[in-house]
């Protein structure tokens, strides 16, 4: 069993797309992705500053486009088989849905562009934020947060929980950390995956009925509860509701353990999920695809676990369906 993971917001770094532009068709694909998102992803992924790409409305499409570009180089779109699962952390669920076949790449990019804009707008309504907690008993930490009026917005496993809520409550958390836990404020725009994102969720819910999801070829492990989802409309519904609900990455990791996953590939911008997987899935081979230099090793893992040699580059045919243009993309 092989798991393909797609990272969430916060994984982006300045210049992260620069190494990929030398690959065949990469620049052309990114220009097409830019048309779908309404952003110049080539410029943003090569020349923009860290401050610019921290913007939620920029970071989310950039991350999904990066993952899709690498996935195409690996021949993942269209791949199927009983030994393959996909999962994404927060906005990475949109990347994963495209790999599974529930969304076309273009639909994923239009959707993530709307998601990013809607979440940025929701963040501007009330001053909120997020803080990471490392260590402590997970259930005790979660209870402590709820006592302060905060939400455990990300339960990532490996002793990591991200708290989200209003700034006053986060200040109290810094002064009153749970037993055994260290608190680190995060530089994010708002309280993602909480009720503060309800307006963003409603924005997505208003347009997603116009999407015709495909039948997934691969099971997607859901952030909501770690369930393996194989129904297109259900994948789409979960993408919408997850915007205002906690990310249970710990349950996703538990599902991968139960499935007997033997290898994990994290798509770019890679590193964070690979690190969690190494701690949560001992003995499993973990590969973070950080640059084109990692593609050969990733292809070998795919061929070994899925059972067929993959071509060096697979560029899909033009999409048959696009989301209406009235519709955008941590950890978020």
């Amino acid at each position: 069993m092989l798991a393909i993971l797609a990272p969430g917001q916060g994984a982006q770094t300045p210049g992260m797309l620069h190494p990929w532009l030398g690959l065949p068709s990469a620049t052309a694909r990114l220009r097409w992705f830019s048309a779908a998102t309404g952003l110049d992803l080539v410029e943003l992924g090569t020349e923009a500053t860290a401050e610019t790409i921290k913007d939620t409305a920029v970071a989310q499409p950039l991350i999904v486009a990066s993952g899709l570009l690498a996935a195409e180089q690996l021949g993942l779109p269209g791949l199927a088989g009983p030994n393959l699962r996909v999962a994404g952390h927060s906005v990475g669920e949109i990347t994963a849905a495209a790999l599974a076949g529930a969304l076309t790449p273009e639909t994923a990019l239009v959707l993530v562009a709307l998601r990013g804009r809607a979440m940025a707008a929701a963040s501007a309504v009330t001053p909120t934020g997020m803080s990471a907690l490392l260590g402590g008993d997970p259930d005790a930490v979660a209870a402590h947060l709820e006592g302060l009026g905060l939400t455990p917005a990300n339960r990532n496993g490996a002793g990591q929980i991200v708290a989200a809520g209003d700034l006053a409550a986060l200040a109290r958390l810094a002064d009153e950390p749970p037993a055994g836990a260290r608190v680190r404020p995060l530089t994010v725009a708002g309280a993602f995956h909480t009720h503060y994102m309800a307006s963003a969720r409603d924005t997505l819910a208003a347009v997603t009925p116009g999407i015709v999801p495909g039948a997934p070829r691969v099971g997607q492990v859901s952030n909501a509860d770690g369930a393996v989802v194989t129904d297109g409309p259900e994948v789409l519904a979960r993408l919408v509701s997850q915007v205002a609900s906690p990310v249970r990455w710990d349950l996703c990791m538990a599902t991968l353990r139960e499935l007997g996953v033997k290898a994990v590939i994290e798509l770019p911008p890679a590193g964070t999920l690979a690190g969690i997987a190494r701690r949560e899935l001992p003995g499993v081979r973990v590969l973070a695809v950080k640059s084109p230099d990692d593609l050969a090793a990733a292809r070998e893992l795919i061929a070994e676990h899925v059972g067929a040699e993959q071509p060096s580059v697979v560029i899909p045919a033009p999409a048959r369906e696009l989301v209406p243009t009235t519709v955008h993309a941590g950890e978020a």
Side-chain angles (χ1 to χ4, degrees):
M1 181 74 70
L2 170 68
I4 308 295
L5 308 182
Q9 191 169 335
Q12 72 277 6
T13 57
M16 68 187 197
L17 289 180
H18 197 273
W20 297 88
L21 297 187
L23 297 177
S25 303
T27 300
R29 288 300 285 168
L30 286 170
R31 298 234 179 264
W32 178 236
F33 292 173
S34 296
T37 62
L39 298 169
D40 186 344
L41 296 171
V42 175
E43 192 279 333
L44 289 169
T46 58
E47 305 297 334
T49 65
E51 186 66 23
T52 297
I53 64 174
K54 183 179 71 176
D55 180 353
T56 301
V58 171
Q60 294 191 16
L62 190 59
I63 287 167
V64 171
S66 176
L68 291 177
L69 181 68
E72 290 181 355
Q73 294 290 326
L74 292 170
L76 289 173
L79 199 62
N83 295 331
L84 183 64
R85 294 291 182 272
V86 296
H89 190 287
S90 189
V91 73
E93 286 206 292
I94 293 181
T95 311
L99 300 184
L103 303 177
T104 67
E106 288 80 6
T107 300
L109 289 161
V110 175
L111 181 62
V112 80
L114 175 63
R115 185 186 193 269
R117 292 194 302 269
M119 291 178 72
S123 297
V125 174
T126 303
T128 57
M130 304 178 83
S131 293
L133 293 97
L134 305 175
D137 176 76
D139 292 334
V141 169
H144 185 84
L145 296 180
E146 290 168 0
L148 293 174
L150 295 168
T151 299
N154 301 158
R155 295 185 65 157
N156 291 330
Q160 298 181 25
I161 291 180
V162 177
D166 70 69
L167 298 182
L170 289 171
R172 290 197 300 274
L173 173 65
D175 293 335
E176 307 168 20
R182 304 187 309 278
V183 179
R184 178 171 61 87
L186 299 179
T187 307
V188 295
F192 302 135
H193 297 290
T194 70
H195 67 277
Y196 291 101
M197 293 294 111
S199 64
R201 178 198 60 209
D202 294 345
T203 296
L204 295 182
V207 301
T208 50
I211 297 175
V212 181
R217 298 174 298 273
V218 177
Q220 179 168 345
V221 184
S222 171
N223 282 185
D225 51 13
V228 178
V229 183
T230 57
D231 176 74
E234 178 66 12
V235 168
L236 185 58
R238 285 171 176 250
L239 290 178
V240 173
S241 63
Q242 201 62 47
V243 168
S245 300
V247 170
R248 294 302 305 266
W249 192 248
D250 56 336
L251 298 182
C252 292
M253 290 291 97
T255 295
L256 296 184
R257 278 195 302 272
E258 293 166 4
L259 290 171
V261 164
K262 300 299 182 186
V264 166
I265 296 173
E266 183 185 1
L267 296 174
T272 299
L273 300 184
I276 294 174
R278 289 187 183 101
R279 293 188 291 272
E280 291 289 301
L281 305 172
V284 170
R285 295 169 63 185
V286 178
L287 175 63
V289 179
K290 296 184 176 182
S291 78
D293 293 340
D294 299 311
L295 290 175
R299 290 187 189 109
E300 290 178 3
L301 269 184
I302 293 168
E304 177 181 344
H305 290 275
V306 182
E309 289 291 340
Q310 298 305 309
S312 58
V313 180
V314 173
I315 302 299
R320 293 171 296 174
E321 168 238 344
L322 282 173
V323 184
T325 55
T326 52
V327 275
H328 154 298
E331 310 233 40

